[in-house]
Structures are given as C-alpha cells and as structure tokens.
Amino acid sequence: MIKYLGSKRRLIPAIAAMARAVETRRALDLFTGTTRVAQALKQDGALVTAVDSATYSHMLARAYIATDAAGTDAGELAEAIGSLAAVAPRRGYVTEVFCEQSRYFHPENGQRIDAIRDAIEDRHAGSPLYPVLLTSLLEAADRVDSTTGLQMAYLKQWAPRALKPLELRVPVLLPGGGMALLGDALELAGAQHLGPFDFAYLDPPYNQHRYFSNYHVWETLVRWDAPAYYGIACKREDCREPASHSVFNRRASMATALSSVIGAVAAEVVVVSYNDEAWLSLEELVAMCAVRGDVGVLAFDSKRYVGAQIGIHNPRGVKVGSVSHLSNTEIMVVAGAADLVEAALASATAAATATAAAATAAAAATAATAATATAATAAAGRGTTGASLR
C-alpha cells in the first residue's frame, strides 16, 4: 500500500473484529483511500463496496476490491508485469515535472515511470488487467519517491529509497467480488443503489488537509492527462479550482455534510473514524451518530505522520519551527442497535488488546535479539584483541 496521511493500518484488527462481530456479509467503505480497510473486510469474506472521489483511490479499489483473484489469469498478469518492466526508459511528463522541475523522483526512475505508464495505456487500456497493472506502477513509484508521505513538498536531499531502481511487483489480489465507485460521498451516501449494508465504515476528511492536493502526483499518474501545474510542488492547476475542494475540508460545511452522510447511509452498524485534530468535538460527533441508535466510543493513541516528526521547514529546507504535538488520539464512534454496538465494541477491544500484546512481545524479542547480538560482537571483539596481543 502507498504511504498515506491518516492511514488506518494500526486500526485494521479492531475494525475487522467489529465487522465479524456483527456478522458482516455486505460492507461499505465510503472514503476508501488506499483501500486498507476495504481489503481487510473483503479478506474476511464480505462483499465490499469501496467509494472515493480521488481517481487514484478508485483505481486501487478497482484492483483490490472489484477484481476477483480467482478470475484473473496469474500467468498472464505476471507476463504483462515482466513485459512492462522491460520497456526502454524515456523522458516524458513525469521526468520533466516531477524530476526536473521538482524532485519527487530520481530522473532515472522518472523515465521508467513515463515509459511504463505509456505502455500500460497503449497495450492494456480497457482490459481487466488495466487497474491491476496501474496499481503495480503506482505502488512501485511510491516505494522510490523522495517525500515524507505527502506531495505538498519533497525532500531537499534524496531519500535513500529514491536512489533504488523502480521495481514492478505483482499486486496480491483477493478472491471474491466487490464494487469500486468513483464519486462524492455526500451524493452517494443516500443513493438507492448504495446498500443495504450490514457494516459501513466512514473515514472522512475532518479538517483542512485535502487529499486531492496532498496526492496530486498520484492523481496525475492515474489520469495521465499532463495537466498544467504551478508552484514549487508542481501541483495540478485544477487543485485551485473550486470543484476540487471537498465540503469536508471547509470548516463551515464539514459538520453539516458529515451529519448528512451519517444519517443517509443504509447500514445496520456505522463506524466513523475521527481524531482529536478534527474541527468537530467528540460530543458533536456522538450526537450526529445518535440518530442511528445506541452509540459507543473507542480511543487509540497514535503517532502523527512522519512530516510532523521531522518538524516545520521553509521552502529552502531550513527548519523554522517545531510542531505542537507528535501524537494524537484516533477515535472510532460505533452506532446502531444496542446489541450490535455492544458486540462490536467488545470484539474491537479484545482485538486491540491482543494486537498491543503482540506488539509488546515483538518489541521485547527484538530488543533481546539486539542485546544478544551486541554481547556476541563485544565477545568476538575481546577474543580478537586477545589473539592479536599474543
């Protein structure tokens, strides 16, 4: 999966446990992003509908949610990946804009991205493999980018991974069907064809951070439309257009929009993700969810994204300030019938406890291994010194 602001990777065990507890057969991931949650639900056997307004997210959903691994010819896919990997590099839009005008990728990788992206369009447009191959390129580019995980800026010095050669990999597809929809959550939430669901997961934007501009490089790589661009970050010109601004990124409209979506979704259980950097208070969010029945709340401590760990820098790469905090609280509000909410909360709590225990055990094992290695190195050093003295 690509690096992503607000990724719910650490919360997946708890979310999946809730879905299992309410015996989910049909699930909705309404702001699907990288499809991490949607994939976990699909892996558990649910028929998942993944919705997002970003084109790159829709492409990931077409690959991981709408594509059935059992209906995909693995040999044909591997052959296509190998053929694309062998395409001769060439300088194109990515090289010019994202390697020379800016520094998201090393030029050698930029030329490979240009050539492979053209080949995907020429050879596979309209085929069932198209979203899978484009997902392979998207993830390969993410592994060699030179950012902190956001495309608002790039690193002053090349990230070590940026100097590695681009490598296409075959995406790990999941068996079973699903649906990928490109559209606005506010418009789709109440659509008659969207549902009913046993379980709906909502992870909306809840402050000023705009995913369209934060991941404009991926939007361009998927659309392949060579847009006009502006600024040091070489953002797409349409990042300035009102149509690219979500109501969820406007303080004045966010609360009304979210309340509308929560009330409109046709699902037995609705889970809303949120954190303490949001414009809404927890009390306001609980009140919104109360229209669906009983409400429960889960809270998890979480590190902020890596850019916050690094600090605040000016366009020349000079550190000019420190962020106010390095961690926040991730919250999930669960709403529905009392028995379902109770079952979901109990299962999520058990899963979170088990995950934390496993992480603690893994950290202890790593520390013990490191200590043993250090002791062995010290012993070997003493032995060598003694031998040299004799």
Side-chain angles (χ1 to χ4, degrees):
M1 287 286 96
I2 60 175
K3 298 181 289 295
Y4 211 61
L5 177 68
S7 170
K8 295 303 183 286
R9 177 176 58 85
R10 296 182 183 89
L11 302 184
I12 292 294
I15 297 169
M18 285 192 283
R20 289 192 295 269
V22 300
E23 299 181 354
T24 299
R25 297 175 302 279
R26 298 194 65 199
L28 170 67
D29 185 0
L30 192 56
F31 301 83
T32 198
T34 63
T35 74
R36 282 187 187 276
V37 171
Q39 286 190 59
L41 298 173
K42 181 178 178 179
Q43 196 162 23
D44 274 349
L47 181 65
V48 180
T49 297
V51 178
D52 207 287
S53 59
T55 311
Y56 62 84
S57 176
H58 179 59
M59 194 60 62
L60 292 170
R62 286 178 61 188
Y64 286 121
I65 305 307
T67 299
D68 183 356
T72 302
D73 187 322
E76 181 185 5
L77 176 57
E79 183 179 352
I81 293 283
S83 176
L84 291 171
V87 171
R90 72 166 201 84
R91 181 180 180 277
Y93 183 92
V94 169
T95 308
E96 176 190 342
V97 179
F98 299 136
C99 304
E100 297 169 357
Q101 298 299 321
S102 55
R103 287 168 54 94
Y104 291 103
F105 307 107
H106 191 277
E108 291 182 5
N109 282 326
Q111 291 178 37
R112 293 200 63 211
I113 292 170
D114 274 318
I116 292 169
R117 183 62 184 87
D118 274 341
I120 291 174
E121 203 66 29
D122 293 342
R123 302 175 187 178
H124 301 283
S127 81
L129 291 183
Y130 182 79
V132 182
L133 297 173
L134 199 43
T135 291
S136 176
L137 178 58
L138 188 64
E139 293 178 347
D142 180 67
R143 288 192 293 270
V144 295
D145 79 336
S146 193
T147 75
T148 62
L150 287 175
Q151 293 160 359
M152 300 291 285
Y154 40 86
L155 299 176
K156 184 178 180 181
Q157 303 296 329
W158 289 115
R161 64 175 174 272
L163 303 179
K164 297 179 180 179
L166 182 95
E167 177 193 6
L168 294 180
R169 300 175 186 172
V170 177
V172 180
L173 303 178
L174 298 171
M179 184 179 295
L181 296 178
L182 177 65
D184 183 83
L186 189 60
E187 297 175 2
L188 289 174
Q192 291 185 352
H193 67 278
L194 197 69
F197 301 99
D198 304 301
F199 183 88
Y201 178 73
L202 281 56
D203 184 17
Y206 30 65
N207 54 30
Q208 74 278 10
H209 295 297
R210 296 176 54 218
Y211 286 86
F212 185 81
S213 55
N214 281 346
Y215 297 99
H216 64 93
V217 176
W218 300 152
E219 194 70 15
T220 294
L221 185 59
V222 172
R223 292 190 186 190
W224 208 229
D225 53 356
Y229 55 92
Y230 68 95
I232 295 174
C234 294
K235 294 181 184 178
R236 300 171 57 90
E237 186 66 39
D238 54 5
C239 286
R240 291 171 160 169
E241 296 176 4
S244 73
H245 291 246
S246 168
V247 292
F248 294 96
N249 295 126
R250 299 189 183 105
R251 187 186 288 270
S253 58
M254 181 267 186
T256 301
L258 182 56
S259 180
S260 176
V261 168
I262 290 171
V265 169
E268 292 295 321
V269 173
V270 172
V271 176
V272 183
S273 270
Y274 158 96
N275 75 20
D276 55 3
E277 294 182 352
W279 285 327
L280 287 175
S281 69
L282 178 57
E283 291 74 18
E284 289 173 311
L285 183 56
V286 168
M288 288 180 187
C289 292
V291 299
R292 305 201 63 93
D294 277 34
V295 178
V297 177
L298 294 165
F300 307 83
D301 289 331
S302 177
K303 277 187 178 181
R304 297 185 73 204
Y305 76 102
V306 67
Q309 314 296 323
I310 293 172
I312 301 170
H313 295 72
N314 67 18
R316 297 186 302 278
V318 178
K319 190 170 183 177
V320 294
S322 299
V323 296
S324 59
H325 57 290
L326 298 179
S327 65
N328 54 30
T329 302
E330 294 287 346
I331 295 168
M332 288 192 290
V333 179
V334 186
D339 58 331
L340 296 179
V341 171
E342 184 178 353
L345 291 175
S347 294
T349 301
T353 301
T355 300
T360 300
T366 300
T369 300
T372 300
T374 300
T377 301
R382 289 194 297 272
T384 301
T385 303
S388 65
L389 289 172
R390 282 197 292 274

